[in-house]
């Protein structure tokens, strides 16, 4: 397995282009199942998760053509399709469950493997299935698969009150409701930019959706959706990750395509920590203000709160802050696996349940480390860039899931980073 070797200490200067959002692309791709006509996505990120979604859609009978080095995904799904999403693909990536709503809407039935747990927690699907049941689906779990069938072969509009603003459940119900009979209202819906991006794409395909970006979304079912071309929204998590690089290493970096409104809560915390963020005509410019980073407390929340997907990277920043920071993880029950690895680099972190207390040290020191999930891996790269000496991050396949060209992007602003092929 490949690893990434980072030598810390270089200040970072220059520009980093930010890709299209992985999490938006993973929900936009299954939308192709809702129409017989082609759906083309531009600004797609070049990531292994996108290739996994391609394989899944192909296994269901969609044609997927990747063009311009993967930045354009042209999809088409006409004629008969297969409604079974196999465990072998679903287990690789939880977002595979986003085919459930579209398959059920198109064919009136679907068999989708349950994804199982993942490193950051149990991640059940009850909010998805309870919502679809309200729309008239009968769903039972057999042989590890959800077997879903719409009563009378077609889903019906319903008023659905989510117990929690689940991102994936909002996306699945929104897609399912576009072709349902009647009107669906989702209350306590997720408000993430990726939800707005999906709604924008579905509207371009002829769907009638209102209220995306608020906690109540209304979808008026239509008989048919048509083809469209849609540009994937900027990846706010890749953006936030690279904003932390100059904050931790010094220098000034411009993040091309960045916007503050994608990350307002995160930018507020950076300001409090002593990092300046300013908008330019091409994106965002980030630099550390004078002096040491200051400690700040962070609680992860659904959008517009502080994103859980930036918690690990923020912890890496706070390891060298002046003072003590408290990080509370409210979205996933087991999302501090990076903490013991950061401790191996000299950080002082105490974890109790969903709370991590970080007491800043002057400097981190390079060490061999590894992580069991995507965002944890990149937090170790950031820590390595700011540390004294050499850090070797193993299990790079996690990074390949969510960060395209990480070595090229960081070395382009002056980082000493290379990928070493595994033995
Ligand atoms: C999406 C993102 C992920 C991000 C997360 C929270 C994608 C592909 N992934 O994941 O990167 O970290 O949002 O911002 O977009 N839950 C239930 N029952 C359900 C569904 C969820 O209990 O039916 C719980 C989960 O276990 C978790 C919390 O709700 O504790 C949040 O999950 P959710 O918002 O659904 O996240 P995902 O859509 O899986």
């Amino acid at each position: 397995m490949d690893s990434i070797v980072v030598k810390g200490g270089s200040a970072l200067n220059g520009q980093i282009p930010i890709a299209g959002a992985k999490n938006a692309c993973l929900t936009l791709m299954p939308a192709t199942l809702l129409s017989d006509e082609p759906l083309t996505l531009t600004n797609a990120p070049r990531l292994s998760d996108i290739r996994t979604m391609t394989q899944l859609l192909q296994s269901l009978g969609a044609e997927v053509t990747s063009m311009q080095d993967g930045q354009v995904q042209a999809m088409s799904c006409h004629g008969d399709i297969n409604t079974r999403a196999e465990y072998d693909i679903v287990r690789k990536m939880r977002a595979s469950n986003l085919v459930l709503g579209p398959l059920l809407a198109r064919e009136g039935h679907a068999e989708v493997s349950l994804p199982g747990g993942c490193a950051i927690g149990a991640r059940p699907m009850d909010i998805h299935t309870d919502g679809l049941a309200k729309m008239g689906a009968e769903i039972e779990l057999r042989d590890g698969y959800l077997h879903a069938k719409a009563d009378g072969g077609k889903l019906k509009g319903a008023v659905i009150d989510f117990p929690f603003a689940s991102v994936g459940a909002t996306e699945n119900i929104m897609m399912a409701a576009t072709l349902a009979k009647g009107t669906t209202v989702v209350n306590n819906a997720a408000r993430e930019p990726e939800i707005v991006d999906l709604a924008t794409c579905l509207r371009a395909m002829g769907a009638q959706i209102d209220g995306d970006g608020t906690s109540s979304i209304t979808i008026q079912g239509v008989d048919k959706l048509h083809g469209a071309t849609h540009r994937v929204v900027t990846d706010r998590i890749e953006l936030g990750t690279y904003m932390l690089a100059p904050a931790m290493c010094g220098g000034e970096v411009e993040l091309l395509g960045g916007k503050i409104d994608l990350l307002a809560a995160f930018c507020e915390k950076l300001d409090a920590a002593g990092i300046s963020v300013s908008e330019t005509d091409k994106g965002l410019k980030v630099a550390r203000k004078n002096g040491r980073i200051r400690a700040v407390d962070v609680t992860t929340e659904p959008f517009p709160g502080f994103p859980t997907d930036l918690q690990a990277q923020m912890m890496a920043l706070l390891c060298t802050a002046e003072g003590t920071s408290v990080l509370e993880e409210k979205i996933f029950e087991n999302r501090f696996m990076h903490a013991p690895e950061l401790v191996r680099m000299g950080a002082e972190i105490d974890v109790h349940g969903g709370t991590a207390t970080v007491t800043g040290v002057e400097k981190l020191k390079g060490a061999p480390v590894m992580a069991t999930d995507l965002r944890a891996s990149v937090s170790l790269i950031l820590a390595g860039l700011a540390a004294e000496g050499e850090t070797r991050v193993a299990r790079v396949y996690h990074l390949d899931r969510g960060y395209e060209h990480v070595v090229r992007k960081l070395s382009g602003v002056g980082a000493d980073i290379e990928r070493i092929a595994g033995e």
Side-chain angles (χ1 to χ4, degrees), residues 1 12 14-15 45 52 63 107 112 121 152 168 176 201-202 207 219 298 316 326-327 361 377 395 419:
M1 270 182 271
L12 306 180
Q15 296 178 323
T52 304
E63 289 165 19
E107 297 293 318
V112 176
C201 176
L202 292 171
I219 307 111
V298 171
V326 178
L327 286 94
V361 296
S377 307
R395 297 196 178 166
R419 185 173 181 131

Side-chain angles (χ1 to χ4, degrees), residues 23 94 123-128 166-168 308-309 331-332:
N23 286 351
R94 208 191 130 73
R123 302 182 85 176
M125 280 193 66
D126 53 321
I127 305 175
H128 304 236
S166 157
V167 174
T308 174
D309 286 352
I331 309 291
F332 293 108

Side-chain angles (χ1 to χ4, degrees), residues 80-93:
D80 290 342
I81 63 164
N82 166 25
T83 54
R84 186 175 166 91
E86 295 288 349
Y87 178 60
D88 264 359
I89 302 182
V90 176
R91 72 183 166 79
K92 286 193 206 160
M93 187 180 68

